[in-house]
Amino acid sequence: MPIVDHLGWQRRYTRWLVQRALDEGRVLTGIRDRNFAFTFNLSPSDLERSELVDDIQRCVEDALAAGVEIGIEMSEKQPIVNTGALIRHLIQLRSVGISIGLDDYGSGFSRLQHLHELPIDFVKIDRSLVGQLHANHKSILVLEATARLVQALGLRAIVEGVENVKQKNLLTQLGFDAAQGYYFGHPRPLDQLVSAEHDR
């Protein structure tokens, strides 16, 4: 990504990436006969740029019309510079049916203020807290308190970095709405996913 930024290809690359994911998703949809949900990771600086937000909206409009769930996760590992522009653009994306989430919450530039100030639908808790679950009792308290706070604000609490059944069971007990991690599956290229679907 630093090379893409340096060459000034960020906008072009983002458009290509979104379209490529949707194209591959259509292949999988044709096999399983149901839509997949797609979530794209973007930085605050991406979402502060009106032209990039317009590009994304145009790229996904057909998929949204077809009932595909589209989400955007905004990483908190980068600071927010223009809060006003960011909020306007998040509202714009949500107005067409795109869900918005905070990613990497609990690391980087995470702030409690973001939970009530930004127009978001879900919060993803950073994997660094999950890795310490069984070694540090304080991590359990922090995760449980965060899940309760997020849900009290009417948002979905999602945790990432789940790698074994012990973590999964404990996080379920702590009240998280959803989880992701290698316990559920590893990233795979399209041909392997297609093969796995045919083997079902």
Side-chain angles (χ1 to χ4, degrees):
M1 286 309 298
I3 295 175
V4 170
D5 292 342
H6 177 72
L7 295 173
W9 292 351
Q10 187 177 35
R11 183 178 178 186
R12 185 186 310 174
Y13 175 76
T14 301
R15 286 199 307 260
W16 173 84
L17 185 65
V18 170
Q19 193 58 59
R20 175 72 179 270
L22 293 174
D23 289 344
E24 293 192 350
R26 276 192 285 272
V27 174
L28 293 172
T29 298
I31 296 171
R32 192 182 279 192
D33 194 29
R34 73 171 177 81
N35 279 327
F36 285 75
F38 293 88
T39 306
F40 302 97
N41 291 76
L42 295 170
S43 68
S45 61
D46 292 331
L47 293 165
E48 289 168 8
R49 299 167 53 196
S50 59
E51 67 276 9
L52 186 56
V53 170
D54 291 340
D55 285 346
I56 293 168
Q57 187 172 329
R58 281 191 291 269
C59 283
V60 303
E61 59 186 0
D62 289 343
L64 288 169
V68 178
E69 294 180 38
I70 304 289
I72 288 176
E73 297 176 9
M74 183 183 71
S75 174
E76 290 209 305
K77 290 186 176 178
Q78 184 187 82
I80 295 172
V81 176
N82 189 337
T83 303
L86 177 64
I87 290 175
R88 285 196 306 273
H89 296 151
L90 294 183
I91 291 172
Q92 174 185 336
L93 293 170
R94 288 182 85 203
S95 71
V96 297
I98 299 172
S99 62
I100 306 293
L102 284 181
D103 194 17
D104 307 315
Y105 191 78
S107 68
F109 293 88
S110 298
R111 296 174 59 184
L112 287 173
Q113 181 181 2
H114 294 165
L115 295 181
H116 67 83
E117 182 179 55
L118 300 178
I120 57 176
D121 302 288
F122 62 92
V123 176
K124 290 181 67 176
I125 312 303
D126 189 70
R127 68 182 65 246
S128 60
L129 289 172
V130 176
Q132 303 177 49
L133 262 180
H134 297 287
N136 185 347
H137 181 67
K138 290 181 180 179
S139 293
I140 296 177
L141 298 176
V142 169
L143 282 164
E144 182 177 26
T146 304
R148 288 183 178 179
L149 172 61
V150 168
Q151 292 165 342
L153 292 169
L155 309 173
R156 294 183 69 218
I158 303 171
V159 65
E160 57 186 12
V162 180
E163 298 189 354
N164 57 62
V165 67
K166 193 174 182 181
Q167 291 175 337
K168 192 263 298 184
N169 290 340
L170 179 54
L171 291 162
T172 299
Q173 293 173 16
L174 295 180
F176 281 92
D177 299 301
Q180 73 175 57
Y182 287 164
Y183 171 72
F184 303 101
H186 289 250
R188 288 183 288 175
L190 179 62
D191 60 340
Q192 291 183 21
L193 289 171
V194 169
S195 178
E197 288 298 320
H198 281 306
D199 292 339
R200 282 177 177 268

